[in-house]
């Protein structure tokens, strides 16, 4: 339909409408949309989400804050969220089925409960990353809300990626303000550990720790130091997917990136020095305090992989998470979204 009203410009014929809050969240939708066979587009609801995708068309709106009006003007068949942004302010779900597929799959921090309790009044279909999430969803949602386990779409292409074997390590902790991750407690020590080492380090703060204090100041200081370290690179990739593909090991904490990293079957180092006393790091891979973290640990894992005890623990955690890691999560999610068309 040709639209010149409601603050939306251009020709819009959309059946599947993705709603994107922040730039890095677009990766989920891109992984789903490649399997969608009907017209689709995305609606930014924060300014930083404008222009965030090269593969999904963006709907040009004047007022990104008026989500209800924009959705009704676009008039899609299905709306898809992967966040909780202003979920209490919207009511378009009374007219348009709302599908929720969370970006990533947090392994800690109580995100399962928070997500389930926040969105349960609005969603018609909840697509769970794994059985662990699905169990919590089923307990929270009404019987008429469909819950389906699909996996993590943005991790699909990690399944068939071989380890580069180039002694490259990715450091990617979760954010400080919203996740209480290890970044503030470990970033400088990690740089100390890798300074002049034979291993290359990709240094990747969470996107929010690049723009919000106190992470922003730390990030600025670390970037300055990184400029003097020839084997350390500040990772500017828009999403972590490309960085994970070229890394041999991941250093994190309980960030959602861990669930994606498990698709690679490469070693994981978890730093337990998180910023909140309310949470603990669920140990999956090699877990250590930053005080005991040294380059020899990196070398042992690179050369020999996990010791048997850690390999057994990781296998048990994988089973508990129940995340399908067959490279078909995007396909399953797309099928569920398309089935919601009225």
């Amino acid at each position: 339909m040709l639209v010149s009203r409601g603050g939306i410009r251009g020709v819009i014929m959309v059946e599947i409408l993705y709603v994107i809050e922040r730039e890095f969240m677009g990766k989920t939708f891109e992984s789903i949309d490649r399997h969608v066979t009907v017209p689709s587009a995305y609606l930014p609801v924060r300014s930083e989400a404008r222009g965030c995708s090269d593969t999904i068309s963006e709907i040009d709106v004047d007022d990104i804050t008026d989500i209800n009006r924009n959705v009704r003007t676009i008039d899609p068949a299905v709306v898809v969220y992967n966040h909780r942004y202003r979920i209490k302010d919207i009511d378009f779900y009374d007219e348009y089925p709302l599908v929720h597929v969370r970006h990533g799959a947090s392994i800690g921090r109580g995100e399962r409960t928070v997500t389930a309790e926040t969105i349960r009044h609005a969603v018609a279909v909840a697509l769970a990353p794994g059985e662990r999430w699905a169990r919590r969803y089923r307990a929270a949602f009404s019987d008429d809300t469909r819950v389906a386990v699909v996996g993590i779409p943005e991790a699909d292409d990690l399944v068939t990626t071989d380890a580069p074997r180039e002694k490259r390590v990715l450091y990617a902790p979760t954010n400080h303000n919203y996740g209480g991750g290890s970044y503030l407690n470990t970033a400088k020590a990690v740089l100390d550990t890798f300074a002049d080492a034979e291993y290359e380090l990709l240094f990747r703060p969470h996107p929010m720790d690049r723009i919000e204090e106190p992470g922003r100041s730390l990030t600025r200081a670390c970037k300055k130091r990184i400029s003097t370290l020839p084997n350390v690179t500040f990772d500017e990739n828009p999403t972590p997917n490309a960085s994970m593909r070229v890394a041999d090991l991941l250093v994190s904490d309980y960030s959602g990136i861990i669930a994606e990293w498990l698709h690679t079957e490469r070693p994981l180092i978890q730093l337990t020095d998180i910023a909140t006393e309310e949470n603990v790091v669920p140990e999956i891979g090699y877990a250590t305090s930053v005080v005991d973290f040294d380059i020899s640990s990196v070398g042992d894992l690179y050369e020999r992989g996990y010791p048997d005890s850690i390999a057994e623990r990781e296998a048990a955690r994988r089973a508990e998470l129940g995340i399908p890691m067959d490279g078909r999560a995007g396909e399953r999610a797309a099928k569920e979204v398309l089935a919601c068309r009225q």
Side-chain angles (χ1 to χ4, degrees), residues 110-131:
E111 277 291 317
R112 288 182 307 146
T113 297
V114 172
T115 298
E117 295 297 327
T118 305
I119 69 173
R120 65 180 181 176
H121 69 286
V123 299
V125 178
L127 305 183
E131 284 294 343

Side-chain angles (χ1 to χ4, degrees), residues 222-285:
C222 288
K223 289 184 76 171
K224 184 176 181 180
R225 179 157 185 219
I226 288 169
S227 68
T228 70
L229 300 174
N231 65 319
V232 181
T233 302
F234 189 87
D235 187 3
E236 299 280 9
N237 282 322
T239 72
N241 183 276
S243 307
M244 286 189 282
R245 290 171 66 89
V246 300
D248 293 296
L249 292 92
L250 172 66
V251 179
S252 189
D253 39 38
Y254 56 10
S255 170
I257 196 175
I258 288 174
E260 296 176 48
W261 179 257
L262 289 175
H263 291 68
T264 70
E265 299 187 345
R266 302 171 205 167
L268 162 68
I269 298 174
Q270 290 176 276
L271 300 178
T272 58
D273 311 80
I274 56 176
T276 174
E277 296 181 356
E278 290 77 22
N279 298 330
V280 296
V281 172
E283 295 182 1
I284 296 176

Side-chain angles (χ1 to χ4, degrees), residues 24 26-28 30-31 34 152-162 164 170 172 202 204 210 235-247 250 257 260-261 263-264 266:
F24 67 87
K27 62 184 179 177
T28 309
E30 290 180 340
S31 302
R34 68 184 64 165
I152 304 175
E154 55 265 41
D156 279 349
D157 59 359
L158 295 174
V159 174
T160 57
T161 303
D162 294 329
L170 172 63
L202 300 178
R204 185 181 181 84
R210 307 181 192 205
D235 187 3
E236 299 280 9
N237 282 322
T239 72
N241 183 276
S243 307
M244 286 189 282
R245 290 171 66 89
V246 300
L250 172 66
I257 196 175
E260 296 176 48
W261 179 257
H263 291 68
T264 70
R266 302 171 205 167

Side-chain angles (χ1 to χ4, degrees), residues 23-312:
E23 180 183 14
F24 67 87
M25 294 179 178
K27 62 184 179 177
T28 309
F29 296 138
E30 290 180 340
S31 302
I32 295 171
D33 195 63
R34 68 184 64 165
H35 303 285
V36 167
T37 55
V38 299
S40 62
Y42 80 89
L43 175 70
V45 292
R46 287 186 188 267
S47 58
E48 67 188 75
R50 290 186 187 270
C52 71
S53 177
D54 294 328
T55 62
I56 306 176
S57 299
E58 177 181 342
I59 295 183
D60 188 10
V61 296
D62 288 331
D63 184 4
I64 60 177
T65 67
D66 198 344
I67 303 172
N68 282 315
R69 183 185 184 192
N70 289 336
V71 169
R72 290 185 170 104
T73 302
I74 296 164
D75 193 29
V78 184
V79 182
V80 190
Y81 263 46
N82 68 345
H83 50 80
R84 306 187 304 269
Y85 181 64
R86 292 181 55 195
I87 196 74
K88 294 182 179 179
D89 297 335
I90 62 170
D91 59 20
F92 65 76
Y93 55 83
D94 290 331
E95 304 158 50
Y96 304 94
L98 178 59
V99 178
H100 187 273
V101 51
R102 194 181 188 279
H103 69 282
S106 172
I107 63 169
R109 303 188 288 131
E111 277 291 317
R112 288 182 307 146
T113 297
V114 172
T115 298
E117 295 297 327
T118 305
I119 69 173
R120 65 180 181 176
H121 69 286
V123 299
V125 178
L127 305 183
E131 284 294 343
R132 177 174 175 269
W133 280 74
R135 288 192 295 271
R136 187 65 189 86
Y137 283 173
R138 295 184 186 113
F141 296 153
S142 63
D143 292 340
D144 57 358
T145 298
R146 174 167 169 73
V147 176
V149 175
V150 296
I152 304 175
E154 55 265 41
D156 279 349
D157 59 359
L158 295 174
V159 174
T160 57
T161 303
D162 294 329
R165 302 302 296 171
E166 294 182 355
K167 295 186 173 182
R168 186 179 298 116
V169 179
L170 172 63
Y171 168 66
T174 199
N175 62 84
H176 175 78
N177 286 342
Y178 306 103
S182 65
Y183 182 53
L184 266 64
N185 294 330
T186 64
K188 292 181 179 180
V190 167
L191 290 180
D192 289 341
T193 299
F194 281 89
D196 302 318
E198 62 177 318
Y199 291 87
E200 178 186 351
L201 177 68
L202 300 178
F203 187 92
R204 185 181 181 84
H206 190 277
M208 300 311 297
D209 282 324
R210 307 181 192 205
I211 61 176
E212 291 186 353
E213 295 292 356
R216 183 173 63 176
S217 294
L218 176 58
T219 299
R220 187 180 301 118
C222 288
K223 289 184 76 171
K224 184 176 181 180
R225 179 157 185 219
I226 288 169
S227 68
T228 70
L229 300 174
N231 65 319
V232 181
T233 302
F234 189 87
D235 187 3
E236 299 280 9
N237 282 322
T239 72
N241 183 276
S243 307
M244 286 189 282
R245 290 171 66 89
V246 300
D248 293 296
L249 292 92
L250 172 66
V251 179
S252 189
D253 39 38
Y254 56 10
S255 170
I257 196 175
I258 288 174
E260 296 176 48
W261 179 257
L262 289 175
H263 291 68
T264 70
E265 299 187 345
R266 302 171 205 167
L268 162 68
I269 298 174
Q270 290 176 276
L271 300 178
T272 58
D273 311 80
I274 56 176
T276 174
E277 296 181 356
E278 290 77 22
N279 298 330
V280 296
V281 172
E283 295 182 1
I284 296 176
Y286 175 84
T288 179
S289 168
V290 72
V291 174
D292 299 321
F293 177 59
D294 57 32
I295 205 67
S296 66
S297 302
V298 174
D300 288 345
L301 289 167
Y302 178 80
E303 296 295 341
R304 291 180 282 277
Y306 291 137
D308 289 345
S309 60
I310 296 180
E312 291 170 3

